[in-house]
Amino acid sequence: MPATTVPAVPTVLTARALLLDMDGTLVNSDAVVERIWRRWAEQHGLDGDEVMKVVHGRQGHASMALLLPDRPMEQNYADNARMLAEETADVAGVVPIPGAPEFLASLRGLPHALVTSADVALATARMAAAGLGMPEVRVTAESVGASKPDPEGFLKGAAELGVAPGDCVVFEDSGAGIEAGRSAGMRVVGVGPRAGLHGPDVVVADLRQVRVEAAAGGEIRVIVA
């Protein structure tokens, strides 16, 4: 007898607002991140593979503090400013995550915000390079005092949208971002190959697996299939 395939049962999350990370979630910027951070690792005598395990999801100075714990933070901030300028100017290979254009289009008129460790200039450059529109509400590096995995950014995003943290669903790819979302008391949809290692509520390969619908009473249905 031929084998039969049983369709997977979709996962449905109900929310009042969605909070979206950028790099690795909406935009694939891995090529740029690899170029710039591996060059920094070589300059500081660090193993590039080990550095790449740390840098995703965090602000640059926070990653440097973990990788070079004895170095003064002033040097980390200076390096971070220089590297942000390099990353903003280098958009070669920056592309949308599959399904991101359609996903963002489906959010028009629904409460959502970008919550990214990038600053405004970098976020603007990468979203434009990927051909994606910038959400009206956004929390960037300038908006917070603490980098992911601190929950400050997601809590600020929820507050700006006027939604309780428990009524938000976060979309994230990195360990630091998933930890930040969970620490904020939010449910997390993990996006991409890194996400499944860090305990999100549900994991998708990319945004083609996600459908969003407006529901009664101002609720949002997030359907993952």
Side-chain angles (χ1 to χ4, degrees):
M1 253 179 104
T4 57
T5 301
V6 179
V9 177
T11 297
V12 180
L13 303 175
T14 302
R16 291 191 174 275
L18 306 183
L19 303 178
L20 319 173
D21 174 53
M22 182 181 70
D23 291 304
T25 302
L26 300 174
V27 172
N28 183 345
S29 57
D30 282 0
V32 182
V33 174
E34 289 268 346
R35 279 195 294 274
I36 288 178
W37 277 99
R38 285 186 181 276
R39 187 162 62 235
W40 182 87
E42 185 176 356
Q43 291 167 352
H44 292 86
L46 299 174
D47 180 86
D49 291 338
E50 294 304 312
V51 167
M52 295 313 302
K53 292 177 183 177
V54 171
V55 300
H56 291 290
R58 292 182 172 86
Q59 291 186 41
H61 60 76
S63 295
M64 293 171 194
L66 290 173
L67 293 162
L68 297 173
D70 297 326
R71 191 166 82 147
M73 279 304 295
E74 290 77 8
Q75 292 184 34
N76 296 338
Y77 289 127
D79 264 11
N80 185 51
R82 176 181 54 77
M83 290 172 72
L84 279 172
E86 290 178 9
E87 290 184 87
T88 302
D90 182 358
V91 293
V94 173
V95 295
I97 294 292
E102 297 81 5
F103 175 71
L104 283 174
S106 74
L107 299 186
R108 290 189 190 119
L110 300 177
H112 67 285
L114 187 74
V115 181
T116 175
S117 294
D119 63 7
V120 170
L122 180 57
T124 302
R126 285 190 176 161
M127 292 289 279
L132 300 175
M134 183 73 81
E136 183 177 337
V137 177
R138 45 197 177 261
V139 178
T140 61
E142 297 94 336
S143 309
V144 298
S147 171
K148 299 173 185 176
D150 191 284
E152 181 185 359
F154 287 124
L155 292 172
K156 282 201 167 185
E160 287 202 32
L161 293 170
V163 175
D167 288 329
C168 294
V169 168
V170 166
F171 286 75
E172 263 286 0
D173 73 299
S174 71
I178 290 167
E179 182 181 342
R182 294 185 72 85
S183 295
M186 301 171 182
R187 290 152 294 157
V188 181
V189 176
V191 180
R194 288 186 287 266
L197 303 173
H198 303 289
D201 294 275
V202 62
V203 182
V204 297
D206 57 51
L207 293 171
R208 291 175 294 186
Q209 289 181 251
V210 180
R211 186 160 50 90
V212 174
E213 297 177 347
E219 291 190 332
I220 302 168
R221 282 164 49 88
V222 178
I223 302 153
V224 177

